[in-house]
Amino acid sequence: MNRHYKLFTLLLISGIAAIDDTESWSSISLETKTPYFSKIKIEQSLRLKNEAQNFKQTFTEVSLYYKFNDYITFNVPYRYAIFEDKVKSRISFGSALKYKKKDLTIRYRTKLENSKELNKEVEKTYRNKISLQFKLNKTYRPFISYEAFNIYDKILQDIDEDRFSLGTVVQIFKKSALKVYYAYKREGLSKKHAEYFGVLGLDYSIKI
């Protein structure tokens, strides 16, 4: 066990040392139940780049969720994002499969994104994410996840981007929680020179 722990630590340090930049992602979200849908969620986010010192983007996202049963959920998020030199809108169609056994929860999510920038064609991206979350106690729920991005017309070819995330959800109050995480992100994997980023994330969610 000690040998495996040292190997994991070495790989993690090597990955962090190889990053090109560190970004900061933070968000606050509100969610509530609504007629005809399981819930609606509104999120406001800010992302910084260049060692978390410069503006990268901010976005507002509204998501509708429909719970088909205890295992399957469908959702439709719409995002309006402002960058330094452009504005993008995005609508997505997604589904999630959840399996829970005692304190362990396994989730698999798939999503098709349609992004549009003024005077440009629609960009389509296919995303798949799997995550494992463990309920340690009433306050902490550590998790680990992996997500892969494919350009839509090249779904069966190489992955263009992926993310490895590790963190925990901290239950602050009964209806509010804080998610703290670190993500290792690789972009442009289908190109000659890929870029590697570290992300420090902080998300605060409130249920009303």
Side-chain angles (χ1 to χ4, degrees):
M1 175 65 82
N2 189 43
R3 182 181 177 185
H4 292 161
Y5 175 77
K6 288 181 179 180
L7 179 59
F8 174 79
T9 303
L10 179 61
L11 291 172
L12 180 62
I13 293 174
S14 299
I16 294 174
I19 64 175
D20 298 306
D21 187 16
T22 300
E23 298 182 352
S24 169
W25 295 1
S26 58
S27 72
I28 184 170
S29 62
L30 300 173
E31 63 177 69
T32 185
K33 295 180 180 178
T34 181
Y36 309 110
F37 295 96
S38 302
K39 66 178 180 180
I40 182 172
K41 179 180 177 181
I42 302 174
E43 178 184 359
Q44 182 62 48
S45 180
L46 174 65
R47 295 182 178 180
L48 305 176
K49 61 180 181 178
N50 297 333
E51 308 305 324
Q53 296 182 15
N54 301 113
F55 173 81
K56 181 179 182 180
Q57 68 162 297
T58 181
F59 66 79
T60 302
E61 184 169 283
V62 180
S63 303
L64 295 174
Y65 292 83
Y66 177 73
K67 187 177 180 180
F68 182 72
N69 55 34
D70 290 339
Y71 303 99
I72 301 172
T73 303
F74 300 100
N75 75 306
V76 180
Y78 172 78
R79 177 180 296 189
Y80 184 81
I82 300 174
F83 297 79
E84 288 181 291
D85 55 353
K86 59 186 175 184
V87 173
K88 279 188 175 184
S89 59
R90 188 178 85 188
I91 187 167
S92 307
F93 303 93
S95 62
L97 178 65
K98 181 178 74 171
Y99 174 75
K100 185 174 182 179
K101 187 173 183 180
K102 294 184 179 180
D103 293 327
L104 178 65
T105 301
I106 303 172
R107 288 185 177 91
Y108 170 72
R109 186 192 72 186
T110 182
K111 183 163 62 173
L112 174 62
E113 297 179 340
N114 300 270
S115 301
K116 183 71 171 70
E117 186 180 345
L118 186 63
N119 299 323
K120 291 189 177 182
E121 295 183 356
V122 175
E123 297 177 2
K124 293 186 177 183
T125 305
Y126 190 59
R127 299 171 61 168
N128 289 280
K129 180 178 181 178
I130 186 167
S131 63
L132 285 80
Q133 185 179 85
F134 183 78
K135 185 177 180 181
L136 196 61
N137 50 44
K138 291 183 179 180
T139 303
Y140 297 100
R141 301 193 301 273
F143 66 87
I144 185 170
S145 68
Y146 172 74
E147 184 171 19
F149 297 64
N150 296 77
I151 300 173
Y152 183 69
D153 57 358
K154 299 179 180 179
I155 288 179
L156 300 179
Q157 298 182 27
D158 295 335
I159 294 171
D160 186 63
E161 177 183 338
D162 65 4
R163 299 173 185 172
F164 301 86
S165 301
L166 179 69
T168 186
V169 175
V170 183
Q171 197 69 40
I172 306 298
F173 299 108
K174 184 178 180 180
K175 292 190 175 183
S176 65
L178 184 68
K179 182 168 77 171
V180 184
Y181 63 93
Y182 177 84
Y184 178 61
K185 182 176 66 160
R186 305 187 298 177
E187 292 183 359
L189 296 175
S190 59
K191 300 177 182 179
K192 188 175 181 180
H193 299 290
E195 293 183 293
Y196 304 88
F197 301 89
V199 177
L200 299 173
L202 195 66
D203 302 335
Y204 185 62
S205 59
I206 304 171
K207 294 181 180 180
I208 56 176

